[in-house]
């Protein structure tokens, strides 16, 4: 897993065995958390066409949907793979920063 791109305080784009993953930083008042989603083929196509502007939009959409809330009906809620890859993401970010 490696970091491909980054928008400070918003997201990291990572590559893992050919898959693109977006790690979104979400903050609501005193609660902060990250949501990691694997980009779908449609999202990858949008990213290739619109670049970072699309990732900024997508990260904002994830953030605004508050997928961590129990009552949230976020379309990203079921796509959050953070628990599966948290340590690997942290290691990739550390390696990228060094």
């Amino acid at each position: 897993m490696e970091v491909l791109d980054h928008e400070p305080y918003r997201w990291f784009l990572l590559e893992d065995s050919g898959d693109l993953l977006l790690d979104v930083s979400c903050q609501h008042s005193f609660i902060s958390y990250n949501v990691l989603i694997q980009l779908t083929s449609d999202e990858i196509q949008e990213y290739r066409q619109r670049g970072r502007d699309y990732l900024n939009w997508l990260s904002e959409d994830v953030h605004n949907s508050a997928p961590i809330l129990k009552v949230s009906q976020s379309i990203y809620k079921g796509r959050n793979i953070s628990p599966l890859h948290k340590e690997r993401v942290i290691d990739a970010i550390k390696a990228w920063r060094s």
Side-chain angles (χ1 to χ4, degrees):
M1 183 176 292
E2 71 174 306
V3 174
L4 299 178
D5 201 356
H6 169 62
E7 181 66 32
Y9 308 106
R10 294 183 79 179
W11 52 262
F12 282 92
L13 179 65
L14 302 109
E15 186 274 330
D16 184 36
S17 301
D19 294 325
L20 293 181
L21 309 175
L22 189 65
D23 185 48
V24 179
S25 176
C26 300
Q27 296 180 3
H28 305 281
S29 185
F30 59 88
I31 299 171
S32 66
Y33 58 94
N34 283 42
V35 175
L36 179 69
I37 61 169
Q38 180 176 333
L39 298 185
T40 65
S41 58
D42 289 341
E43 290 166 343
I44 291 169
Q45 183 176 359
E46 281 292 321
Y47 166 60
R48 289 188 176 138
Q49 290 175 353
R50 297 176 44 203
R52 293 172 56 87
D53 286 342
Y54 177 70
L55 296 181
N56 287 330
W57 175 87
L58 182 58
S59 68
E60 193 70 20
D61 199 45
V62 171
H63 174 269
N64 289 337
S65 72
I68 198 169
L69 298 177
K70 287 183 182 182
V71 297
S72 172
Q73 295 184 16
S74 169
I75 61 172
Y76 306 104
K77 191 172 194 163
R79 293 178 58 191
N80 185 11
I81 57 174
S82 289
L84 301 174
H85 301 287
K86 182 178 180 178
E87 294 303 319
R88 293 180 61 224
V89 169
I90 290 169
D91 290 344
I93 292 170
K94 284 180 182 176
W96 176 76
R97 286 187 170 149
S98 62

PDB file of all heavy atoms in Angstrom, residues 39-73:
ATOM      1  N   LEU A  39     -12.430   2.898  -4.143  1.00  0.00           N
ATOM      2  CA  LEU A  39     -13.129   3.565  -5.230  1.00  0.00           C
ATOM      3  C   LEU A  39     -13.727   2.544  -6.193  1.00  0.00           C
ATOM      4  O   LEU A  39     -13.084   1.549  -6.540  1.00  0.00           O
ATOM      5  CB  LEU A  39     -12.185   4.504  -5.988  1.00  0.00           C
ATOM      6  CG  LEU A  39     -11.584   5.666  -5.195  1.00  0.00           C
ATOM      7  CD1 LEU A  39     -10.776   6.565  -6.124  1.00  0.00           C
ATOM      8  CD2 LEU A  39     -12.635   6.462  -4.463  1.00  0.00           C
ATOM      9  N   THR A  40     -14.953   2.814  -6.607  1.00  0.00           N
ATOM     10  CA  THR A  40     -15.612   1.972  -7.597  1.00  0.00           C
ATOM     11  C   THR A  40     -15.071   2.309  -8.980  1.00  0.00           C
ATOM     12  O   THR A  40     -14.385   3.326  -9.161  1.00  0.00           O
ATOM     13  CB  THR A  40     -17.134   2.215  -7.582  1.00  0.00           C
ATOM     14  OG1 THR A  40     -17.386   3.554  -8.012  1.00  0.00           O
ATOM     15  CG2 THR A  40     -17.737   1.961  -6.199  1.00  0.00           C
ATOM     16  N   SER A  41     -15.412   1.517  -9.959  1.00  0.00           N
ATOM     17  CA  SER A  41     -14.950   1.797 -11.321  1.00  0.00           C
ATOM     18  C   SER A  41     -15.485   3.141 -11.807  1.00  0.00           C
ATOM     19  O   SER A  41     -14.783   3.883 -12.499  1.00  0.00           O
ATOM     20  CB  SER A  41     -15.331   0.667 -12.276  1.00  0.00           C
ATOM     21  OG  SER A  41     -16.729   0.463 -12.280  1.00  0.00           O
ATOM     22  N   ASP A  42     -16.720   3.485 -11.451  1.00  0.00           N
ATOM     23  CA  ASP A  42     -17.278   4.790 -11.838  1.00  0.00           C
ATOM     24  C   ASP A  42     -16.520   5.928 -11.165  1.00  0.00           C
ATOM     25  O   ASP A  42     -16.245   6.956 -11.789  1.00  0.00           O
ATOM     26  CB  ASP A  42     -18.760   4.874 -11.476  1.00  0.00           C
ATOM     27  CG  ASP A  42     -19.640   4.007 -12.359  1.00  0.00           C
ATOM     28  OD1 ASP A  42     -19.190   3.613 -13.464  1.00  0.00           O
ATOM     29  OD2 ASP A  42     -20.782   3.725 -11.950  1.00  0.00           O
ATOM     30  N   GLU A  43     -16.187   5.745  -9.901  1.00  0.00           N
ATOM     31  CA  GLU A  43     -15.438   6.775  -9.174  1.00  0.00           C
ATOM     32  C   GLU A  43     -14.029   6.924  -9.741  1.00  0.00           C
ATOM     33  O   GLU A  43     -13.526   8.044  -9.848  1.00  0.00           O
ATOM     34  CB  GLU A  43     -15.391   6.436  -7.686  1.00  0.00           C
ATOM     35  CG  GLU A  43     -16.745   6.586  -7.006  1.00  0.00           C
ATOM     36  CD  GLU A  43     -16.829   5.956  -5.638  1.00  0.00           C
ATOM     37  OE1 GLU A  43     -15.969   5.104  -5.297  1.00  0.00           O
ATOM     38  OE2 GLU A  43     -17.762   6.296  -4.887  1.00  0.00           O
ATOM     39  N   ILE A  44     -13.413   5.824 -10.122  1.00  0.00           N
ATOM     40  CA  ILE A  44     -12.077   5.884 -10.733  1.00  0.00           C
ATOM     41  C   ILE A  44     -12.151   6.639 -12.055  1.00  0.00           C
ATOM     42  O   ILE A  44     -11.294   7.480 -12.353  1.00  0.00           O
ATOM     43  CB  ILE A  44     -11.486   4.477 -10.918  1.00  0.00           C
ATOM     44  CG1 ILE A  44     -11.160   3.862  -9.554  1.00  0.00           C
ATOM     45  CG2 ILE A  44     -10.245   4.516 -11.809  1.00  0.00           C
ATOM     46  CD1 ILE A  44     -10.807   2.386  -9.596  1.00  0.00           C
ATOM     47  N   GLN A  45     -13.183   6.380 -12.831  1.00  0.00           N
ATOM     48  CA  GLN A  45     -13.352   7.078 -14.106  1.00  0.00           C
ATOM     49  C   GLN A  45     -13.529   8.576 -13.868  1.00  0.00           C
ATOM     50  O   GLN A  45     -12.926   9.399 -14.568  1.00  0.00           O
ATOM     51  CB  GLN A  45     -14.548   6.513 -14.867  1.00  0.00           C
ATOM     52  CG  GLN A  45     -14.746   7.127 -16.231  1.00  0.00           C
ATOM     53  CD  GLN A  45     -15.883   6.479 -16.993  1.00  0.00           C
ATOM     54  OE1 GLN A  45     -16.528   5.548 -16.535  1.00  0.00           O
ATOM     55  NE2 GLN A  45     -16.138   6.987 -18.180  1.00  0.00           N
ATOM     56  N   GLU A  46     -14.346   8.951 -12.892  1.00  0.00           N
ATOM     57  CA  GLU A  46     -14.526  10.364 -12.556  1.00  0.00           C
ATOM     58  C   GLU A  46     -13.206  10.991 -12.117  1.00  0.00           C
ATOM     59  O   GLU A  46     -12.880  12.110 -12.501  1.00  0.00           O
ATOM     60  CB  GLU A  46     -15.569  10.538 -11.449  1.00  0.00           C
ATOM     61  CG  GLU A  46     -16.986  10.453 -11.917  1.00  0.00           C
ATOM     62  CD  GLU A  46     -17.396  11.617 -12.800  1.00  0.00           C
ATOM     63  OE1 GLU A  46     -16.999  12.772 -12.527  1.00  0.00           O
ATOM     64  OE2 GLU A  46     -18.115  11.363 -13.780  1.00  0.00           O
ATOM     65  N   TYR A  47     -12.455  10.254 -11.294  1.00  0.00           N
ATOM     66  CA  TYR A  47     -11.155  10.749 -10.834  1.00  0.00           C
ATOM     67  C   TYR A  47     -10.213  10.982 -12.011  1.00  0.00           C
ATOM     68  O   TYR A  47      -9.533  12.000 -12.085  1.00  0.00           O
ATOM     69  CB  TYR A  47     -10.545   9.774  -9.824  1.00  0.00           C
ATOM     70  CG  TYR A  47      -9.091  10.012  -9.537  1.00  0.00           C
ATOM     71  CD1 TYR A  47      -8.647  11.230  -9.016  1.00  0.00           C
ATOM     72  CD2 TYR A  47      -8.144   9.038  -9.813  1.00  0.00           C
ATOM     73  CE1 TYR A  47      -7.311  11.455  -8.764  1.00  0.00           C
ATOM     74  CE2 TYR A  47      -6.800   9.259  -9.552  1.00  0.00           C
ATOM     75  CZ  TYR A  47      -6.391  10.463  -9.031  1.00  0.00           C
ATOM     76  OH  TYR A  47      -5.060  10.695  -8.788  1.00  0.00           O
ATOM     77  N   ARG A  48     -10.191  10.067 -12.942  1.00  0.00           N
ATOM     78  CA  ARG A  48      -9.312  10.210 -14.110  1.00  0.00           C
ATOM     79  C   ARG A  48      -9.722  11.389 -14.984  1.00  0.00           C
ATOM     80  O   ARG A  48      -8.881  12.026 -15.616  1.00  0.00           O
ATOM     81  CB  ARG A  48      -9.285   8.918 -14.908  1.00  0.00           C
ATOM     82  CG  ARG A  48      -8.520   7.831 -14.175  1.00  0.00           C
ATOM     83  CD  ARG A  48      -8.306   6.606 -14.998  1.00  0.00           C
ATOM     84  NE  ARG A  48      -7.483   5.658 -14.272  1.00  0.00           N
ATOM     85  CZ  ARG A  48      -7.692   4.361 -14.231  1.00  0.00           C
ATOM     86  NH1 ARG A  48      -8.689   3.827 -14.922  1.00  0.00           N
ATOM     87  NH2 ARG A  48      -6.898   3.577 -13.541  1.00  0.00           N
ATOM     88  N   GLN A  49     -11.004  11.690 -15.016  1.00  0.00           N
ATOM     89  CA  GLN A  49     -11.487  12.812 -15.825  1.00  0.00           C
ATOM     90  C   GLN A  49     -11.325  14.149 -15.112  1.00  0.00           C
ATOM     91  O   GLN A  49     -10.953  15.143 -15.729  1.00  0.00           O
ATOM     92  CB  GLN A  49     -12.957  12.612 -16.195  1.00  0.00           C
ATOM     93  CG  GLN A  49     -13.183  11.505 -17.188  1.00  0.00           C
ATOM     94  CD  GLN A  49     -14.659  11.255 -17.452  1.00  0.00           C
ATOM     95  OE1 GLN A  49     -15.535  11.811 -16.812  1.00  0.00           O
ATOM     96  NE2 GLN A  49     -14.933  10.382 -18.412  1.00  0.00           N
ATOM     97  N   ARG A  50     -11.614  14.170 -13.800  1.00  0.00           N
ATOM     98  CA  ARG A  50     -11.658  15.442 -13.075  1.00  0.00           C
ATOM     99  C   ARG A  50     -10.510  15.643 -12.095  1.00  0.00           C
ATOM    100  O   ARG A  50     -10.338  16.741 -11.557  1.00  0.00           O
ATOM    101  CB  ARG A  50     -12.982  15.548 -12.330  1.00  0.00           C
ATOM    102  CG  ARG A  50     -14.175  15.563 -13.274  1.00  0.00           C
ATOM    103  CD  ARG A  50     -15.515  15.575 -12.575  1.00  0.00           C
ATOM    104  NE  ARG A  50     -15.574  16.501 -11.466  1.00  0.00           N
ATOM    105  CZ  ARG A  50     -16.438  16.386 -10.467  1.00  0.00           C
ATOM    106  NH1 ARG A  50     -17.303  15.402 -10.429  1.00  0.00           N
ATOM    107  NH2 ARG A  50     -16.437  17.274  -9.478  1.00  0.00           N
ATOM    108  N   GLY A  51      -9.748  14.599 -11.825  1.00  0.00           N
ATOM    109  CA  GLY A  51      -8.586  14.709 -10.956  1.00  0.00           C
ATOM    110  C   GLY A  51      -8.925  15.029  -9.514  1.00  0.00           C
ATOM    111  O   GLY A  51      -9.919  14.566  -8.970  1.00  0.00           O
ATOM    112  N   ARG A  52      -8.073  15.852  -8.918  1.00  0.00           N
ATOM    113  CA  ARG A  52      -8.201  16.197  -7.498  1.00  0.00           C
ATOM    114  C   ARG A  52      -9.524  16.888  -7.173  1.00  0.00           C
ATOM    115  O   ARG A  52     -10.030  16.756  -6.060  1.00  0.00           O
ATOM    116  CB  ARG A  52      -7.040  17.088  -7.072  1.00  0.00           C
ATOM    117  CG  ARG A  52      -5.690  16.374  -7.086  1.00  0.00           C
ATOM    118  CD  ARG A  52      -4.548  17.343  -6.845  1.00  0.00           C
ATOM    119  NE  ARG A  52      -4.710  18.083  -5.597  1.00  0.00           N
ATOM    120  CZ  ARG A  52      -4.291  17.669  -4.407  1.00  0.00           C
ATOM    121  NH1 ARG A  52      -3.686  16.513  -4.296  1.00  0.00           N
ATOM    122  NH2 ARG A  52      -4.483  18.412  -3.344  1.00  0.00           N
ATOM    123  N   ASP A  53     -10.074  17.624  -8.126  1.00  0.00           N
ATOM    124  CA  ASP A  53     -11.370  18.265  -7.888  1.00  0.00           C
ATOM    125  C   ASP A  53     -12.427  17.220  -7.537  1.00  0.00           C
ATOM    126  O   ASP A  53     -13.268  17.445  -6.669  1.00  0.00           O
ATOM    127  CB  ASP A  53     -11.838  19.070  -9.103  1.00  0.00           C
ATOM    128  CG  ASP A  53     -11.067  20.362  -9.286  1.00  0.00           C
ATOM    129  OD1 ASP A  53     -10.421  20.826  -8.321  1.00  0.00           O
ATOM    130  OD2 ASP A  53     -11.107  20.902 -10.401  1.00  0.00           O
ATOM    131  N   TYR A  54     -12.381  16.089  -8.224  1.00  0.00           N
ATOM    132  CA  TYR A  54     -13.339  15.026  -7.930  1.00  0.00           C
ATOM    133  C   TYR A  54     -13.093  14.447  -6.539  1.00  0.00           C
ATOM    134  O   TYR A  54     -14.042  14.213  -5.790  1.00  0.00           O
ATOM    135  CB  TYR A  54     -13.299  13.908  -8.977  1.00  0.00           C
ATOM    136  CG  TYR A  54     -14.238  12.788  -8.608  1.00  0.00           C
ATOM    137  CD1 TYR A  54     -15.616  12.989  -8.677  1.00  0.00           C
ATOM    138  CD2 TYR A  54     -13.764  11.569  -8.156  1.00  0.00           C
ATOM    139  CE1 TYR A  54     -16.494  11.986  -8.305  1.00  0.00           C
ATOM    140  CE2 TYR A  54     -14.636  10.564  -7.786  1.00  0.00           C
ATOM    141  CZ  TYR A  54     -16.006  10.776  -7.862  1.00  0.00           C
ATOM    142  OH  TYR A  54     -16.877   9.784  -7.490  1.00  0.00           O
ATOM    143  N   LEU A  55     -11.824  14.222  -6.182  1.00  0.00           N
ATOM    144  CA  LEU A  55     -11.530  13.677  -4.854  1.00  0.00           C
ATOM    145  C   LEU A  55     -11.948  14.652  -3.756  1.00  0.00           C
ATOM    146  O   LEU A  55     -12.429  14.226  -2.694  1.00  0.00           O
ATOM    147  CB  LEU A  55     -10.051  13.321  -4.729  1.00  0.00           C
ATOM    148  CG  LEU A  55      -9.553  12.212  -5.651  1.00  0.00           C
ATOM    149  CD1 LEU A  55      -8.075  11.950  -5.407  1.00  0.00           C
ATOM    150  CD2 LEU A  55     -10.366  10.940  -5.480  1.00  0.00           C
ATOM    151  N   ASN A  56     -11.782  15.942  -3.992  1.00  0.00           N
ATOM    152  CA  ASN A  56     -12.259  16.937  -3.025  1.00  0.00           C
ATOM    153  C   ASN A  56     -13.771  16.854  -2.876  1.00  0.00           C
ATOM    154  O   ASN A  56     -14.305  16.891  -1.762  1.00  0.00           O
ATOM    155  CB  ASN A  56     -11.833  18.345  -3.427  1.00  0.00           C
ATOM    156  CG  ASN A  56     -10.359  18.587  -3.200  1.00  0.00           C
ATOM    157  OD1 ASN A  56      -9.743  18.026  -2.303  1.00  0.00           O
ATOM    158  ND2 ASN A  56      -9.781  19.440  -4.022  1.00  0.00           N
ATOM    159  N   TRP A  57     -14.474  16.740  -4.001  1.00  0.00           N
ATOM    160  CA  TRP A  57     -15.928  16.618  -3.950  1.00  0.00           C
ATOM    161  C   TRP A  57     -16.340  15.330  -3.226  1.00  0.00           C
ATOM    162  O   TRP A  57     -17.219  15.346  -2.352  1.00  0.00           O
ATOM    163  CB  TRP A  57     -16.527  16.634  -5.361  1.00  0.00           C
ATOM    164  CG  TRP A  57     -18.007  16.385  -5.303  1.00  0.00           C
ATOM    165  CD1 TRP A  57     -18.985  17.326  -5.126  1.00  0.00           C
ATOM    166  CD2 TRP A  57     -18.660  15.115  -5.357  1.00  0.00           C
ATOM    167  NE1 TRP A  57     -20.209  16.712  -5.071  1.00  0.00           N
ATOM    168  CE2 TRP A  57     -20.036  15.356  -5.203  1.00  0.00           C
ATOM    169  CE3 TRP A  57     -18.210  13.809  -5.511  1.00  0.00           C
ATOM    170  CZ2 TRP A  57     -20.983  14.332  -5.213  1.00  0.00           C
ATOM    171  CZ3 TRP A  57     -19.144  12.781  -5.502  1.00  0.00           C
ATOM    172  CH2 TRP A  57     -20.517  13.046  -5.363  1.00  0.00           C
ATOM    173  N   LEU A  58     -15.709  14.216  -3.600  1.00  0.00           N
ATOM    174  CA  LEU A  58     -16.057  12.925  -3.005  1.00  0.00           C
ATOM    175  C   LEU A  58     -15.794  12.922  -1.507  1.00  0.00           C
ATOM    176  O   LEU A  58     -16.627  12.449  -0.723  1.00  0.00           O
ATOM    177  CB  LEU A  58     -15.282  11.798  -3.695  1.00  0.00           C
ATOM    178  CG  LEU A  58     -15.571  10.375  -3.229  1.00  0.00           C
ATOM    179  CD1 LEU A  58     -17.046  10.028  -3.392  1.00  0.00           C
ATOM    180  CD2 LEU A  58     -14.688   9.393  -4.006  1.00  0.00           C
ATOM    181  N   SER A  59     -14.665  13.454  -1.091  1.00  0.00           N
ATOM    182  CA  SER A  59     -14.361  13.482   0.342  1.00  0.00           C
ATOM    183  C   SER A  59     -15.365  14.348   1.095  1.00  0.00           C
ATOM    184  O   SER A  59     -15.779  14.010   2.215  1.00  0.00           O
ATOM    185  CB  SER A  59     -12.935  13.973   0.592  1.00  0.00           C
ATOM    186  OG  SER A  59     -12.781  15.330   0.268  1.00  0.00           O
ATOM    187  N   GLU A  60     -15.793  15.433   0.488  1.00  0.00           N
ATOM    188  CA  GLU A  60     -16.804  16.290   1.108  1.00  0.00           C
ATOM    189  C   GLU A  60     -18.146  15.559   1.208  1.00  0.00           C
ATOM    190  O   GLU A  60     -18.858  15.672   2.209  1.00  0.00           O
ATOM    191  CB  GLU A  60     -16.951  17.586   0.302  1.00  0.00           C
ATOM    192  CG  GLU A  60     -17.724  18.652   0.994  1.00  0.00           C
ATOM    193  CD  GLU A  60     -16.990  19.267   2.182  1.00  0.00           C
ATOM    194  OE1 GLU A  60     -15.754  19.155   2.272  1.00  0.00           O
ATOM    195  OE2 GLU A  60     -17.677  19.852   3.039  1.00  0.00           O
ATOM    196  N   ASP A  61     -18.473  14.793   0.182  1.00  0.00           N
ATOM    197  CA  ASP A  61     -19.713  14.026   0.187  1.00  0.00           C
ATOM    198  C   ASP A  61     -19.688  12.968   1.293  1.00  0.00           C
ATOM    199  O   ASP A  61     -20.674  12.794   2.010  1.00  0.00           O
ATOM    200  CB  ASP A  61     -19.931  13.376  -1.182  1.00  0.00           C
ATOM    201  CG  ASP A  61     -21.362  12.952  -1.413  1.00  0.00           C
ATOM    202  OD1 ASP A  61     -22.285  13.746  -1.103  1.00  0.00           O
ATOM    203  OD2 ASP A  61     -21.570  11.833  -1.920  1.00  0.00           O
ATOM    204  N   VAL A  62     -18.563  12.279   1.438  1.00  0.00           N
ATOM    205  CA  VAL A  62     -18.416  11.296   2.516  1.00  0.00           C
ATOM    206  C   VAL A  62     -18.556  12.009   3.860  1.00  0.00           C
ATOM    207  O   VAL A  62     -19.333  11.580   4.723  1.00  0.00           O
ATOM    208  CB  VAL A  62     -17.056  10.566   2.427  1.00  0.00           C
ATOM    209  CG1 VAL A  62     -16.821   9.708   3.671  1.00  0.00           C
ATOM    210  CG2 VAL A  62     -16.975   9.712   1.165  1.00  0.00           C
ATOM    211  N   HIS A  63     -17.818  13.082   4.050  1.00  0.00           N
ATOM    212  CA  HIS A  63     -17.843  13.834   5.306  1.00  0.00           C
ATOM    213  C   HIS A  63     -19.255  14.294   5.654  1.00  0.00           C
ATOM    214  O   HIS A  63     -19.729  14.079   6.771  1.00  0.00           O
ATOM    215  CB  HIS A  63     -16.905  15.039   5.196  1.00  0.00           C
ATOM    216  CG  HIS A  63     -16.964  15.949   6.365  1.00  0.00           C
ATOM    217  ND1 HIS A  63     -17.826  17.022   6.417  1.00  0.00           N
ATOM    218  CD2 HIS A  63     -16.293  15.950   7.532  1.00  0.00           C
ATOM    219  CE1 HIS A  63     -17.675  17.635   7.573  1.00  0.00           C
ATOM    220  NE2 HIS A  63     -16.745  17.012   8.261  1.00  0.00           N
ATOM    221  N   ASN A  64     -19.927  14.914   4.719  1.00  0.00           N
ATOM    222  CA  ASN A  64     -21.258  15.466   4.981  1.00  0.00           C
ATOM    223  C   ASN A  64     -22.308  14.394   5.256  1.00  0.00           C
ATOM    224  O   ASN A  64     -23.321  14.681   5.906  1.00  0.00           O
ATOM    225  CB  ASN A  64     -21.714  16.351   3.822  1.00  0.00           C
ATOM    226  CG  ASN A  64     -20.945  17.640   3.751  1.00  0.00           C
ATOM    227  OD1 ASN A  64     -20.374  18.104   4.740  1.00  0.00           O
ATOM    228  ND2 ASN A  64     -20.904  18.233   2.576  1.00  0.00           N
ATOM    229  N   SER A  65     -22.075  13.184   4.799  1.00  0.00           N
ATOM    230  CA  SER A  65     -23.054  12.104   5.020  1.00  0.00           C
ATOM    231  C   SER A  65     -22.928  11.481   6.406  1.00  0.00           C
ATOM    232  O   SER A  65     -23.777  10.684   6.794  1.00  0.00           O
ATOM    233  CB  SER A  65     -22.905  11.029   3.943  1.00  0.00           C
ATOM    234  OG  SER A  65     -21.713  10.278   4.139  1.00  0.00           O
ATOM    235  N   ALA A  66     -21.878  11.837   7.154  1.00  0.00           N
ATOM    236  CA  ALA A  66     -21.652  11.345   8.528  1.00  0.00           C
ATOM    237  C   ALA A  66     -21.884   9.839   8.648  1.00  0.00           C
ATOM    238  O   ALA A  66     -22.715   9.372   9.423  1.00  0.00           O
ATOM    239  CB  ALA A  66     -22.532  12.111   9.507  1.00  0.00           C
ATOM    240  N   PRO A  67     -21.100   9.045   7.912  1.00  0.00           N
ATOM    241  CA  PRO A  67     -21.345   7.600   7.884  1.00  0.00           C
ATOM    242  C   PRO A  67     -21.125   6.869   9.209  1.00  0.00           C
ATOM    243  O   PRO A  67     -21.573   5.739   9.364  1.00  0.00           O
ATOM    244  CB  PRO A  67     -20.374   7.092   6.817  1.00  0.00           C
ATOM    245  CG  PRO A  67     -19.307   8.116   6.758  1.00  0.00           C
ATOM    246  CD  PRO A  67     -19.973   9.424   7.077  1.00  0.00           C
ATOM    247  N   ILE A  68     -20.491   7.500  10.169  1.00  0.00           N
ATOM    248  CA  ILE A  68     -20.227   6.834  11.440  1.00  0.00           C
ATOM    249  C   ILE A  68     -21.463   6.806  12.356  1.00  0.00           C
ATOM    250  O   ILE A  68     -21.569   5.962  13.245  1.00  0.00           O
ATOM    251  CB  ILE A  68     -19.022   7.472  12.165  1.00  0.00           C
ATOM    252  CG1 ILE A  68     -18.481   6.530  13.221  1.00  0.00           C
ATOM    253  CG2 ILE A  68     -19.405   8.803  12.762  1.00  0.00           C
ATOM    254  CD1 ILE A  68     -17.157   6.930  13.811  1.00  0.00           C
ATOM    255  N   LEU A  69     -22.392   7.715  12.125  1.00  0.00           N
ATOM    256  CA  LEU A  69     -23.576   7.776  12.978  1.00  0.00           C
ATOM    257  C   LEU A  69     -24.495   6.581  12.758  1.00  0.00           C
ATOM    258  O   LEU A  69     -24.732   6.168  11.624  1.00  0.00           O
ATOM    259  CB  LEU A  69     -24.356   9.067  12.711  1.00  0.00           C
ATOM    260  CG  LEU A  69     -23.638  10.378  13.003  1.00  0.00           C
ATOM    261  CD1 LEU A  69     -24.523  11.554  12.614  1.00  0.00           C
ATOM    262  CD2 LEU A  69     -23.238  10.455  14.461  1.00  0.00           C
ATOM    263  N   LYS A  70     -25.033   6.037  13.832  1.00  0.00           N
ATOM    264  CA  LYS A  70     -25.943   4.888  13.728  1.00  0.00           C
ATOM    265  C   LYS A  70     -27.161   5.204  12.876  1.00  0.00           C
ATOM    266  O   LYS A  70     -27.641   4.361  12.137  1.00  0.00           O
ATOM    267  CB  LYS A  70     -26.380   4.428  15.110  1.00  0.00           C
ATOM    268  CG  LYS A  70     -25.308   3.724  15.881  1.00  0.00           C
ATOM    269  CD  LYS A  70     -25.808   3.233  17.217  1.00  0.00           C
ATOM    270  CE  LYS A  70     -24.659   2.565  17.959  1.00  0.00           C
ATOM    271  NZ  LYS A  70     -25.077   2.029  19.247  1.00  0.00           N
ATOM    272  N   VAL A  71     -27.665   6.426  12.989  1.00  0.00           N
ATOM    273  CA  VAL A  71     -28.866   6.814  12.249  1.00  0.00           C
ATOM    274  C   VAL A  71     -28.564   7.268  10.819  1.00  0.00           C
ATOM    275  O   VAL A  71     -29.482   7.519  10.042  1.00  0.00           O
ATOM    276  CB  VAL A  71     -29.652   7.917  12.996  1.00  0.00           C
ATOM    277  CG1 VAL A  71     -30.148   7.425  14.327  1.00  0.00           C
ATOM    278  CG2 VAL A  71     -28.807   9.173  13.151  1.00  0.00           C
ATOM    279  N   SER A  72     -27.306   7.353  10.478  1.00  0.00           N
ATOM    280  CA  SER A  72     -26.918   7.813   9.149  1.00  0.00           C
ATOM    281  C   SER A  72     -27.393   6.838   8.072  1.00  0.00           C
ATOM    282  O   SER A  72     -27.293   5.623   8.224  1.00  0.00           O
ATOM    283  CB  SER A  72     -25.398   7.955   9.061  1.00  0.00           C
ATOM    284  OG  SER A  72     -25.008   8.223   7.735  1.00  0.00           O
ATOM    285  N   GLN A  73     -27.876   7.409   6.995  1.00  0.00           N
ATOM    286  CA  GLN A  73     -28.246   6.606   5.833  1.00  0.00           C
ATOM    287  C   GLN A  73     -27.245   6.817   4.705  1.00  0.00           C
ATOM    288  O   GLN A  73     -27.558   6.682   3.531  1.00  0.00           O
ATOM    289  CB  GLN A  73     -29.663   6.948   5.394  1.00  0.00           C
ATOM    290  CG  GLN A  73     -30.689   6.561   6.438  1.00  0.00           C
ATOM    291  CD  GLN A  73     -32.106   6.808   5.979  1.00  0.00           C
ATOM    292  OE1 GLN A  73     -32.380   6.997   4.788  1.00  0.00           O
ATOM    293  NE2 GLN A  73     -33.025   6.817   6.906  1.00  0.00           N
TER     294      GLN A  73
END
